[in-house]
Amino acid sequence: MSLYSRFEAFELDVLKEVGNIGAGNAATALSRLIDKPVDMAVPKVSLLPFEEVAERVGGSEQIVIAVFLRVEGEAPGNMFFIIEEASAKRLLRQLLSIKAEVQEGYSEMELSALCEIGNILAGSYLSSLADFTHLSMAPSVPAVAVDMAGAILSYGLMQYGEMGDSALLIETTFLEDHQSLEGHFFLIPDPESFDKIFRALGVVGE
Amino acid sequence: MIQQNLIKVGMADLNIATEGAVLKTTGLGSCVGLTLFDPIRKVAGMAHVMLPSSDIARETKMNLAKYADTAIPELLDRMVAAGAYIERMKAKMAGGAQMFAMSGHSDSLRIGPRNVESCIEMLHKFKIPILAQDTGGSFGRTIEFDSTNGLLSIRSVQFGIKEI
């Protein structure tokens, strides 16, 4: 596990702070959108075997709604905003008073709204991160999918595939006040991006 | 009732099954679930292939099951060791989807179709016929492969269960 041994404890703390700042801003954006307080769990930074990544959102076969964005710029990576189905429906109802047009599945309008929410959140995550690190980071056009968590998340792990069997991800969980809404943010920097992030923050390894 | 023995194949993993056991892999997105079957000896094999070619590998200890060009020879070796014959083998596969329709044309976004192409190329090399495949699209799949009859059952969110 060459990637893991490369990271010192304090470097993982730095990445945790990266998650904290980014997700903190995204949580504020979400809170403004739905006009309700949004809580945020302490970010987790973990090097997970591919198999276990999907476990974080309920298992490989769990059906989730995911907004995917590719992070472009000096520290590229992949970003997912993932919410469970029940939370997504609630979010749509609260935010847009969209009545569930179709009982099963999602209408084009609903998916487009979720995509935009993901876009706003990812944008605020990345812009605060870019301010903090002075690295340019911009999200690509978002794409949304409703499918098995394993199938979706594996897409963000490809860059790690050629290096080993695990990926480093920065994960933050959101909870709306009464836990009626739960969402996850995953930032999966490309393996090459870590050095740049560390250097930008003045933490230089040997 | 017959208790079916389920063997789980993880991501970038492969395994074989005999004596009625069922191979299963979950959440195939752009990855390809490749299965091989010797109908006489009833030896089944499954690989969850993640990337098309090991040329790009930069890992120190290579995981053969991860790449199409190394997983297939490895799976063949394991199956032959279990008594199967390459000449009798038939292949089926599923997966290789493009999970997100993005506007970019970057090669990494075509990873699903490239995985499928690479698997087909390797199977041609070993002269193994492809009986059926359910590949492409933009949805995830979970597959089960039965070593009693070589049936591949594919489950997806939109389309339910189908057998090939």
Side-chain angles (χ1 to χ4, degrees), chain B residues 43-159:
Chain B
V43 177
M46 180 187 283
H48 185 141
V49 171
M50 190 178 171
L51 294 166
S53 162
S54 61
D55 291 348
I56 52 162
R58 287 179 287 158
E59 44 191 328
T60 37
K61 193 168 156 278
M62 191 140 97
N63 175 0
L64 295 175
K66 195 186 300 171
Y67 310 95
D69 63 334
T70 52
I72 292 172
E74 172 70 10
L75 189 61
L76 288 172
D77 280 352
R78 295 269 299 271
M79 290 176 70
V80 168
Y85 285 89
I86 294 184
E87 303 75 54
R88 286 203 295 249
M89 281 187 204
K90 307 272 190 285
K92 288 180 182 176
M93 59 182 164
Q98 210 165 343
M99 292 307 293
F100 295 97
M102 306 279 285
S103 45
H105 297 288
S106 153
D107 232 17
S108 72
L109 297 171
R110 275 197 73 249
I111 197 86
R114 278 169 57 217
N115 279 334
V116 175
E117 285 157 20
S118 182
C119 284
I120 292 174
E121 200 178 301
M122 281 313 283
L123 291 169
H124 279 319
K125 210 168 137 192
F126 287 98
K127 300 191 171 59
I128 298 171
I130 301 167
L131 285 191
Q133 56 171 312
D134 178 36
T135 54
S138 59
F139 53 92
R141 298 166 171 93
T142 282
I143 59 169
E144 287 186 20
F145 192 52
D146 192 333
S147 68
T148 50
N149 50 19
L151 273 181
L152 180 64
S153 133
I154 301 156
R155 198 160 56 75
S156 62
V157 177
Q158 293 102 316
F159 304 108

Side-chain angles (χ1 to χ4, degrees), chain A residues 1-2 50-51 55 60-61 63 66-70 72 80 85 140-166 191-192, chain B residues 8-12 24 26-31 48 50-51 56-61 63 66-67 97-103 108-111 115 138-142 155-158:
Chain A
M1 213 102 317
S2 59
F50 294 151
E51 268 308 290
E55 300 299 322
S60 176
E61 288 188 274
I63 297 167
V67 178
F68 168 77
L69 303 105
R70 175 84 189 142
E72 286 153 356
F80 291 96
E85 285 203 283
S140 70
V141 176
V144 67
V146 184
D147 217 311
M148 301 174 190
I152 287 173
L153 283 167
S154 63
Y155 191 80
L157 305 176
M158 293 302 159
Q159 278 82 4
Y160 282 86
E162 53 202 68
M163 308 237 341
D165 292 325
S166 40
E192 295 81 8
Chain B
K8 197 167 184 270
V9 178
M11 192 172 175
K24 178 177 184 176
T26 57
L28 286 167
S30 53
C31 300
H48 185 141
M50 190 178 171
L51 294 166
I56 52 162
R58 287 179 287 158
E59 44 191 328
T60 37
K61 193 168 156 278
N63 175 0
K66 195 186 300 171
Y67 310 95
Q98 210 165 343
M99 292 307 293
F100 295 97
M102 306 279 285
S103 45
S108 72
L109 297 171
R110 275 197 73 249
I111 197 86
N115 279 334
S138 59
F139 53 92
R141 298 166 171 93
T142 282
R155 198 160 56 75
S156 62
V157 177
Q158 293 102 316

Side-chain angles (χ1 to χ4, degrees), chain A residues 55-100:
Chain A
E55 300 299 322
R56 289 299 172 92
V57 288
S60 176
E61 288 188 274
Q62 174 74 42
I63 297 167
V64 295
I65 292 96
V67 178
F68 168 77
L69 303 105
R70 175 84 189 142
V71 180
E72 286 153 356
E74 286 174 272
N78 294 315
M79 184 166 228
F80 291 96
F81 175 58
I82 290 187
I83 34 181
E84 273 144 45
E85 285 203 283
S87 292
K89 289 278 185 197
R90 246 179 252 125
L91 184 61
L92 287 170
R93 219 176 305 136
Q94 275 179 9
L95 180 62
L96 308 156
S97 348
I98 294 183
K99 286 256 168 58

Side-chain angles (χ1 to χ4, degrees), chain A residues 18-200:
Chain A
V18 162
N20 212 1
I21 289 171
N25 268 272
T28 311
L30 182 61
S31 165
R32 280 213 200 104
L33 268 178
I34 61 175
D35 201 16
K36 289 211 168 95
V38 172
D39 281 339
M40 193 183 87
V42 177
K44 280 186 211 146
V45 175
S46 26
L47 185 86
L48 288 179
F50 294 151
E51 268 308 290
E52 285 171 32
V53 174
E55 300 299 322
R56 289 299 172 92
V57 288
S60 176
E61 288 188 274
Q62 174 74 42
I63 297 167
V64 295
I65 292 96
V67 178
F68 168 77
L69 303 105
R70 175 84 189 142
V71 180
E72 286 153 356
E74 286 174 272
N78 294 315
M79 184 166 228
F80 291 96
F81 175 58
I82 290 187
I83 34 181
E84 273 144 45
E85 285 203 283
S87 292
K89 289 278 185 197
R90 246 179 252 125
L91 184 61
L92 287 170
R93 219 176 305 136
Q94 275 179 9
L95 180 62
L96 308 156
S97 348
I98 294 183
K99 286 256 168 58
E101 293 172 28
V102 234
Q103 283 306 319
E104 289 291 304
Y106 296 83
S107 68
E108 211 169 299
M109 178 70 180
E110 290 175 311
L111 284 177
S112 159
L114 287 169
C115 199
E116 190 48 32
I117 293 168
N119 195 22
I120 292 169
L121 299 188
S124 56
Y125 190 120
L126 288 176
S127 66
S128 64
L129 201 53
D131 284 349
F132 178 57
T133 57
H134 298 292
L135 292 170
S136 72
M137 283 183 223
S140 70
V141 176
V144 67
V146 184
D147 217 311
M148 301 174 190
I152 287 173
L153 283 167
S154 63
Y155 191 80
L157 305 176
M158 293 302 159
Q159 278 82 4
Y160 282 86
E162 53 202 68
M163 308 237 341
D165 292 325
S166 40
L168 199 135
L169 46 99
I170 305 170
E171 178 199 0
T172 323
T173 306
F174 292 118
L175 281 178
E176 195 249 302
D177 228 6
H178 302 292
Q179 312 210 336
S180 60
L181 193 108
E182 198 185 326
H184 304 264
F185 243 114
F186 289 98
L187 175 63
I188 312 175
D190 287 0
E192 295 81 8
S193 295
F194 289 106
D195 276 345
K196 287 185 196 142
I197 295 174
F198 289 143
R199 208 166 305 136

Side-chain angles (χ1 to χ4, degrees), chain B residues 11-58:
Chain B
M11 192 172 175
D13 184 18
L14 58 80
N15 215 332
I16 62 164
T18 52
E19 294 166 0
V22 172
L23 290 157
K24 178 177 184 176
T25 194
T26 57
L28 286 167
S30 53
C31 300
V32 170
L34 174 107
T35 63
L36 295 172
F37 187 57
D38 176 340
I40 311 286
R41 284 292 177 96
K42 310 255 185 242
V43 177
M46 180 187 283
H48 185 141
V49 171
M50 190 178 171
L51 294 166
S53 162
S54 61
D55 291 348
I56 52 162
R58 287 179 287 158

